[in-house]
Amino acid sequence: MKNRFSFANCAACYLFSCLLFFGSSAHAGLLRYDIVYNEEHLGHMVFDAQIGALSQNLWTSLVDWTLGWDEVVLDRSNSVAANASSRFFIDAVGNVINDGMEEIICTGSLGCAPELVVTDNPVFEGSDGSSIGFSRSAIAGGMLTVTSANGDVYRGYRPLVYTGPFAVPLPATIWLLVIALYGLGVTRHRAR
């Protein structure tokens, strides 16, 4: 009886520790942002980060993505998140406030023909030579550039919207809680 009681206490302590650790505000969680371009779902990005600081760049905490446009599909298995200086700045509640730097330059010899140049925007490069890059623009609403493996390029300026952030449950958290609850249930059943 003493061993069973000890085990039950141990399981309860383990469960409580898991809840404290994974429920702690100091621990980062997974945040998902869905991306809609011209009212079509472009994909999503997942960051291992915590919302709270104003003007934080989530790009450095990017852990997963699935993006697709015009038969180009890029995810963690076949692409890399390029451009280490990419910007994905959010405010204190998680709204995207800046995902690229833009400037207007004048081109042409007769008069000024403005051209929008966006740098440091999220870019993903596929192992087959394909790529997807996108950025919201204060002028054009959004820019999407997609290069397919055969070199076809789509570049368009259409509305680009980030929906989210949505909290994503950590798989490790779920499994640890399931194991702890199962152990507690088995212990209680045996104690009867």
Side-chain angles (χ1 to χ4, degrees):
M1 184 74 172
K2 186 176 180 183
N3 288 340
R4 287 181 184 163
F5 183 75
S6 238
F7 180 77
N9 282 346
C10 182
C13 288
Y14 179 70
L15 176 62
F16 184 69
S17 298
C18 287
L19 288 172
L20 280 179
F21 177 73
F22 290 107
S24 167
S25 61
H27 181 59
L30 297 180
L31 303 173
R32 171 182 166 137
Y33 284 83
D34 287 332
I35 307 154
V36 176
Y37 175 75
N38 198 28
E39 298 184 356
E40 285 192 46
H41 189 252
L42 177 65
H44 69 268
M45 296 184 296
V46 177
F47 302 90
D48 187 9
Q50 180 182 348
I51 294 175
L54 181 64
S55 295
Q56 61 177 315
N57 185 6
L58 290 189
W59 187 256
T60 57
S61 63
L62 180 69
V63 293
D64 196 14
W65 59 90
T66 299
L67 303 166
W69 184 265
D70 196 27
E71 298 182 5
V72 175
V73 178
L74 300 180
D75 57 32
R76 258 183 98 185
S77 70
N78 65 1
S79 64
V80 296
N83 192 1
S85 62
S86 284
R87 304 162 65 89
F88 197 83
F89 280 81
I90 63 169
D91 62 16
V93 294
N95 296 317
V96 180
I97 54 177
N98 190 335
D99 65 351
M101 299 180 67
E102 63 183 22
E103 64 176 298
I104 297 177
I105 60 171
C106 289
T107 57
S109 57
L110 299 173
C112 179
E115 180 182 344
L116 179 67
V117 177
V118 178
T119 60
D120 296 335
N121 56 302
V123 177
F124 298 85
E125 296 176 346
S127 54
D128 62 355
S130 57
S131 66
I132 294 177
F134 51 89
S135 178
R136 279 198 308 193
S137 165
I139 299 161
M143 181 183 79
L144 174 66
T145 303
V146 179
T147 305
S148 67
N150 63 9
D152 291 340
V153 177
Y154 167 83
R155 182 172 182 174
Y157 296 93
R158 299 285 187 274
L160 180 69
V161 177
Y162 295 107
T163 58
F166 305 106
V168 178
L170 292 167
T173 306
I174 294 169
W175 282 111
L176 286 173
L177 288 176
V178 167
I179 291 168
L181 289 172
Y182 177 76
L184 191 58
V186 167
T187 303
R188 284 190 166 190
H189 180 63
R190 287 183 181 173
R192 288 181 186 178

